[in-house]
Amino acid sequence: MSDLIADIETLVRCESPSDDHEAVARSAEAVAGVGRRLLGAEPERLVTDGCTHLRWSFGDGPPRVLLLGHHDTVWPLGSLRTHPFRIEDGILRGPGCFDMKAGVGMALHAAAALPDRTGVTILITGDEEIGSPLSRSLIEETAGSCDAVFVLEASADGGALKTRRKGVSRYWIEVAGRAAHAGLEPEKGVNAGIEVAHQILAVAALADPGRGTTVVPTALSAGTTTNTVPAAATVAVDARVWDTAEQDRVDRAVRSLAPVLAGARIRIGGGINRPPLEAAASAELFALADVLAGKLGFGPLTRAAVGGASDGNFTAGLGIPTLDGLGAVGGGAHADDEHVVVAELPRRTALLTALTETVLANRTSSAPTNAPGESRAGQR
């Protein structure tokens, strides 16, 4: 385990905020160095609009199993000064350790432990924390022929695997009104602030608590000075849903919004960012993982449905069996108390190796296990 911890330390100490492409490139070189030592192979360096992703592919045929992660973090440069890497009382800390530098190290070590890596691909992207705008097509292309995708995002509370994730849509609503003096002749204006308030109420009403659908107006701006009727306003909207039908309903409703005030105009941008990772996409792989955990002596696994999204949403949206949350056990993602439970690192890594080896061994089936259920084609 000491080698794994040392490699995680190397990755954590190389800071990689998503919006700093030079820092992300340095981090990619750190990840490549760890992978080179463990796997005896150089990765492809895939740079999209300045952002560096890494991919290792083993064997001559199409990939069968994809180990998927990211090496960018939300932490700005200099965070190591206030949140230094350290291990105390069995707890590892440092910026990005839980989300998800530990998971990257685990993926590389798990692959290194395989007796035969033929059919395995490892993809480590550099822009997940900002929604994967530059890596989505790469993820979908790489995963397209796979029987299974294992996502090394951190676990849910208590080590639970993430078997269901909400889909995410993001919109912005831009309102154009007409400026006027707020004291002398406000009636000559068209108040964009009032119009955007109508739109905020309209989108908030699209939420459906019974179905777990949230539609939340977030960042808001309007006006220029305190004595001027606002001529422009904008609001951002974050929508999260458990199933594709609900995601489509919200999308249609947002796009059909119309102005309320005479003379006001609205423009709507954005749309569906990530499809849901529905329970059917993970069911067979979770069952397999639970069996393997028992054989490894780790006890029964638990599962969780979470509101946050990951790159696993993309692969599940393609109908590819996807199991998420296989990375570190700990907590505090994006927060001051971000941490990893050291004792769980070798167990989770061994489980990932066993999962990958089992799927690869089942070469004659179109599904990742022999358990009954839909094939990948049936899930698309």
Side-chain angles (χ1 to χ4, degrees):
M1 182 170 67
S2 60
D3 285 349
L4 174 56
I5 291 174
D7 288 336
I8 293 171
E9 179 177 2
T10 296
L11 302 182
V12 171
R13 288 188 180 278
C14 190
E15 296 177 303
S16 53
S18 308
D19 59 358
D20 187 329
H21 286 175
E22 291 184 2
V24 170
R26 290 192 296 271
S27 172
E29 289 309 306
V31 175
V34 172
R36 183 186 310 116
R37 191 190 83 250
L38 292 171
L39 304 172
E42 285 285 344
E44 298 175 78
R45 289 165 175 80
L46 305 160
V47 181
T48 55
D49 290 345
C51 184
T52 307
H53 322 288
L54 299 174
R55 182 170 62 190
W56 282 267
S57 300
F58 299 96
D60 296 329
R64 296 277 319 286
V65 175
L66 174 61
L67 307 184
L68 181 59
H70 65 89
H71 67 105
D72 61 313
T73 77
V74 301
W75 294 85
L77 292 180
S79 294
L80 282 166
R81 290 194 294 271
T82 55
H83 298 74
F85 178 91
R86 65 192 189 280
I87 300 175
E88 298 172 353
D89 300 323
I91 299 298
L92 182 154
R93 300 183 186 274
C97 64
F98 183 59
D99 186 12
M100 58 165 287
K101 296 295 182 77
V104 172
M106 291 165 63
L108 297 173
H109 277 257
L114 291 168
D116 182 0
R117 292 192 284 274
T118 301
V120 174
T121 291
I122 306 167
L123 178 62
I124 310 297
T125 65
D127 65 340
E128 192 276 343
E129 293 291 3
I130 56 173
S132 308
L134 303 176
S135 61
R136 176 174 182 170
S137 60
L138 176 63
I139 294 165
E140 293 177 337
E141 169 204 337
T142 303
S145 65
C146 287
D147 295 327
V149 176
F150 297 126
V151 185
L152 273 296
E153 289 284 357
S155 70
D157 290 348
L161 300 185
K162 297 172 179 176
T163 57
R164 194 179 181 200
R165 285 185 181 270
K166 284 187 176 182
V168 179
S169 301
R170 292 177 177 148
Y171 304 94
W172 50 261
I173 301 170
E174 187 177 273
V175 176
R178 184 168 61 247
H181 194 291
L184 294 177
E185 44 188 14
E187 70 281 358
K188 292 187 176 180
V190 176
N191 195 314
I194 294 176
E195 179 60 51
V196 82
H198 284 295
Q199 300 302 324
I200 287 171
L201 293 174
V203 296
L206 298 175
D208 186 342
R211 296 189 66 170
T213 299
T214 59
V215 184
V216 182
T218 56
L220 170 67
S221 66
T224 53
T225 67
T226 58
N227 61 349
T228 303
V229 172
T234 60
V235 63
V237 179
D238 180 291
R240 298 182 186 242
V241 301
W242 286 120
D243 60 81
T244 54
E246 187 70 345
Q247 192 167 46
D248 290 340
R249 177 190 71 83
V250 172
D251 188 67
R252 289 192 302 271
V254 171
R255 296 189 185 284
S256 67
L257 292 170
V260 174
L261 300 182
R265 303 185 308 278
I266 66 171
R267 189 161 68 97
I268 297 164
I272 294 172
N273 173 257
R274 297 177 194 260
L277 193 167
E278 299 190 40
S282 63
E284 290 185 4
L285 291 177
F286 178 81
L288 174 61
D290 199 34
V291 169
L292 293 173
K295 290 180 177 179
L296 292 168
F298 302 158
L301 297 176
T302 57
R303 70 184 89 188
V306 298
S310 81
D311 288 338
N313 289 60
F314 295 139
T315 60
L318 294 175
I320 302 167
T322 300
L323 187 58
D324 205 337
L326 284 159
V329 176
H334 301 188
D336 288 341
D337 66 338
E338 183 167 7
H339 66 279
V340 169
V341 179
V342 171
E344 293 292 338
L345 288 170
R347 291 192 283 193
R348 300 288 279 215
T349 305
L351 176 61
L352 179 62
T353 300
L355 275 167
T356 304
E357 188 172 7
T358 302
V359 173
L360 290 174
N362 190 13
R363 296 181 183 276
T364 60
S365 173
S366 62
T369 76
N370 287 322
E374 288 185 318
S375 69
R376 185 174 69 211
Q379 293 172 328
R380 287 189 186 275

